[in-house]
Amino acid sequence: PERGMPGAGRGMRGPGRGVRVAALAALLCALRAGGTELTFELPDSRKQCFHQELERGLKFSLDYQVIAGGHYDVDCYVEDPTGRTIYKETKKQYDSFPHRTEVQGVYTFCFSNEFSTFSHKTVYFDFQVGDEPPILPDMGNRVTALTQMESACVNIHEVLKMVIDSQTHYRLREAQDRSRAEDLNSRVSYWSMGETLILFVVSIGQVMLLKSFFTEKRPGSGSAGT
């Protein structure tokens, strides 16, 4: 907007830019809610566990997806500090588990590939902790309507969340498709090498067979003596 009005009032440009910078900083801080995002290798017949200490009454969510390996499935379970299993799924490709803690302590979530004996997996998970902070101060307690600037900040925040979710989704799809393409390429390469070897063996066999048809048979030494 400032490029379209080069002659507009210069006195308003500095404060306006400061408001926009502050609003953008608030949006970025709101988008950086506490959490962990990780992609790791899970070998065959192995299990990988992660631990997180949480307060009571705290909300968390676990999203995971298998992006490479085998049939793209994995076992997952979550235990609370008392050892009680609050979530368990077997051979899932992806899933989401939201929960609000009832006791304080260390929560454990594990991914298991123990049912597979020869294929390792690549697993992505996103572990988010805590409620999303309000974008604007006292937003939940105010009784007046939002101003145009505040409404724009809320809309931008929602759009940025959608953009982040879409980027994560397409990044996982791209990684999964790339893994499948590489696996298919390796299979095609091995199949081509096998066909080449078979054709080479068959060609040599045919040459030797045809050569045996036209080879002159010499009489034995016994028949020559008589």
Side-chain angles (χ1 to χ4, degrees):
E2 294 178 359
R3 292 181 182 178
M5 297 184 296
R10 299 179 180 269
M12 296 298 294
R13 186 174 299 179
R17 182 178 300 174
V19 171
R20 284 191 291 272
V21 171
L24 182 59
L27 287 175
L28 292 178
C29 290
L31 289 174
R32 294 175 182 173
T36 302
E37 190 176 7
L38 181 65
T39 302
F40 66 96
E41 296 285 339
L42 185 60
D44 53 281
S45 303
R46 296 288 299 274
K47 179 175 65 174
Q48 182 69 45
C49 294
F50 301 88
H51 310 275
Q52 178 67 43
E53 184 174 0
L54 301 174
E55 301 289 337
R56 181 180 180 182
L58 196 62
K59 180 182 178 181
F60 72 87
S61 63
L62 174 64
D63 301 321
Y64 65 91
Q65 180 174 347
V66 181
I67 60 178
H71 295 286
Y72 300 90
D73 53 358
V74 71
D75 295 344
C76 179
Y77 65 90
V78 181
E79 293 182 350
D80 63 7
T82 63
R84 182 173 62 95
T85 302
I86 57 179
Y87 170 82
K88 185 176 182 180
E89 289 291 342
T90 58
K91 296 184 178 181
K92 295 281 290 188
Q93 179 180 352
Y94 59 89
D95 201 6
S96 178
F97 172 62
H99 183 72
R100 187 171 294 275
T101 60
E102 299 177 357
V103 293
Q104 179 181 353
V106 177
Y107 284 75
T108 303
F109 56 99
C110 299
F111 300 94
S112 174
N113 193 29
E114 295 175 325
F115 60 87
S116 179
T117 57
F118 59 89
S119 62
H120 71 280
K121 310 292 176 61
T122 302
V123 183
Y124 161 85
F125 74 87
D126 183 14
F127 186 73
Q128 297 293 331
V129 180
D131 295 319
E132 183 177 348
I135 305 174
L136 303 174
D138 299 332
M139 185 174 177
N141 300 326
R142 62 187 307 167
V143 294
T144 58
L146 297 177
T147 64
Q148 185 176 1
M149 176 65 74
E150 292 172 342
S151 300
C153 289
V154 173
N155 293 333
I156 293 174
H157 174 69
E158 296 299 329
V159 171
L160 288 178
K161 287 175 57 180
M162 294 175 58
V163 169
I164 291 176
D165 294 339
S166 299
Q167 287 179 341
T168 302
H169 171 72
Y170 288 119
R171 186 172 67 249
L172 294 176
R173 286 289 301 273
E174 187 272 335
Q176 190 177 47
D177 293 341
R178 184 176 65 251
S179 175
R180 290 179 175 176
E182 291 176 353
D183 182 55
L184 181 60
N185 179 60
S186 62
R187 293 186 180 184
V188 171
S189 300
Y190 291 143
W191 180 261
S192 301
M193 293 173 59
E195 284 187 335
T196 303
L197 182 60
I198 292 174
L199 289 175
F200 184 72
V201 173
V202 170
S203 300
I204 293 178
Q206 289 179 347
V207 170
M208 294 180 64
L209 182 62
L210 290 175
K211 186 178 180 181
S212 66
F213 289 160
F214 296 98
T215 300
E216 181 182 357
K217 296 183 179 181
R218 298 180 180 180
S221 56
S223 59
T226 58

